[in-house]
Amino acid sequence: GTYVRVVIEGVPCEMVKHFNPSYPLVIGGLLPNEENLGLVQVRLKRHRWHRKILKTNDPLVFSIGWRRFQSVTMYSIADVNGRNRMLKYTPEHMHCHALFYGPITPPNTGVIAFKTLSNKVDTFRVSATGVVLELDRSVSVVKKLKLTGYPSKIFRNTAYIRGMFSSNLEVAKFTGAAIRTVSGIRGQIKKAMREPEGEFRASFEDKLLPSDIVFLRTWYPVEPIRFYHPVTSLLLKDKQGDIWEREMGIK
């Protein structure tokens, strides 16, 4: 073999201070477009040997390509209408979509996720496996929202509804949306009133009762938490992931 001398710039001082010649280092390279950060969508499945289910907004350590980093994941699933509906937990024995903030990675790259990097745990460390789907900035995750209001004035087939919105701008955004009462009477939002703020006029199929509760079922977009922290266990003296977690305050 032949010895190769490699000059690396911008190396932290801890790398030289805690350098261990017997510890192997793998040197790789990144493409220019892989040095940027953005939202990455992954097709993920919880590993069947991992005991606990995964929860949205819980941190995970990802191993993707040359990188190991920690990020906060948001899980979703595509419904029949084509929207990505947010999930609170990962489903059992099936795939779902995971959206997190991290380095740009080419599609079809393998993904391994860990809850902890410590080698002293008595359970299986691999939490989930998956593959990178796409790098689409227009991907949006929505969450179900239910708004309720109460009639303030009741006429024959129309009524003034209060308490559902806080401003006329919100009323204008949902003008024409379908609403319903607890008793099953269907209606539609017509127009915002000048006073008070947030009250609107709606038409219904039948006359409402003063005790009726009007509700609106809709969806609103949810933004994932933009958190990214690379794993710097090679800068430590013992090169152990559990020591890195302890110094970061994870454990």
Side-chain angles (χ1 to χ4, degrees):
T2 304
Y3 288 98
V4 179
R5 182 179 180 180
V6 180
V7 179
I8 304 177
E9 299 179 352
V11 178
C13 62
E14 291 85 0
M15 185 72 180
V16 180
K17 181 180 178 182
H18 300 147
F19 179 72
N20 185 4
S22 63
Y23 193 85
L25 298 178
V26 180
I27 301 177
L30 296 174
L31 298 176
N33 60 343
E34 294 179 348
E35 298 180 0
N36 301 324
L37 297 177
L39 294 178
V40 183
Q41 189 177 19
V42 176
R43 187 170 179 260
L44 203 70
K45 181 181 180 182
R46 182 181 67 89
H47 201 281
R48 59 179 181 177
W49 290 350
H50 189 70
R51 296 180 181 177
K52 298 182 180 179
I53 59 176
L54 305 178
K55 186 180 178 181
T56 293
N57 292 335
D58 276 358
L60 288 178
V61 178
F62 293 94
S63 178
I64 305 177
W66 294 105
R67 300 177 186 261
R68 284 197 308 168
F69 59 92
Q70 188 184 39
S71 186
V72 178
T73 312
M74 178 184 295
Y75 305 106
S76 64
I77 191 170
D79 58 8
V80 294
N81 295 322
R83 65 170 69 95
N84 287 326
R85 182 167 52 89
M86 193 189 83
L87 299 175
K88 192 173 183 180
Y89 301 98
T90 53
E92 291 283 346
H93 311 298
M94 65 179 296
H95 290 84
C96 67
H97 291 172
L99 190 66
F100 57 87
Y101 184 74
I104 301 300
T105 310
N108 298 325
T109 303
V111 177
I112 300 179
F114 301 88
K115 195 74 175 180
T116 177
L117 294 178
S118 176
N119 55 3
K120 298 178 182 179
V121 294
D122 57 350
T123 58
F124 197 68
R125 290 194 303 170
V126 177
S127 301
T129 57
V131 62
V132 177
L133 288 182
E134 58 183 350
L135 304 172
D136 190 0
R137 295 184 177 180
S138 63
V139 174
S140 62
V141 180
V142 294
K143 185 178 180 180
K144 187 180 293 186
L145 178 66
K146 185 178 180 180
L147 302 175
T148 58
Y150 307 93
S152 59
K153 294 182 181 180
I154 300 174
F155 301 98
R156 185 174 180 179
N157 284 341
T158 61
Y160 293 167
I161 309 299
R162 58 177 173 83
M164 185 175 294
F165 303 106
S166 59
S167 64
N168 290 343
L169 183 62
E170 294 180 357
V171 179
K173 186 177 180 180
F174 290 96
T175 299
I179 54 179
R180 195 172 180 177
T181 65
V182 177
S183 57
I185 303 175
R186 295 175 295 183
Q188 188 179 30
I189 298 176
K190 290 298 184 180
K191 187 179 179 181
M193 307 303 297
R194 293 183 179 180
E195 291 183 357
E197 193 78 9
E199 188 171 325
F200 62 92
R201 179 173 59 88
S203 62
F204 294 91
E205 295 176 338
D206 200 358
K207 187 175 181 180
L208 299 186
L209 298 175
S211 59
D212 270 333
I213 299 176
V214 184
F215 61 90
L216 167 68
R217 288 180 177 176
T218 183
W219 303 87
Y220 76 98
V222 182
E223 284 291 330
I225 299 176
R226 294 178 178 263
F227 174 78
Y228 167 75
H229 184 77
V231 176
T232 56
S233 58
L234 292 179
L235 303 181
L236 303 177
K237 185 177 180 179
D238 294 333
K239 308 288 190 293
Q240 296 296 329
D242 54 347
I243 301 177
W244 172 80
E245 293 177 350
R246 197 178 304 118
E247 290 193 357
M248 290 301 300
I250 301 173
K251 295 182 69 176

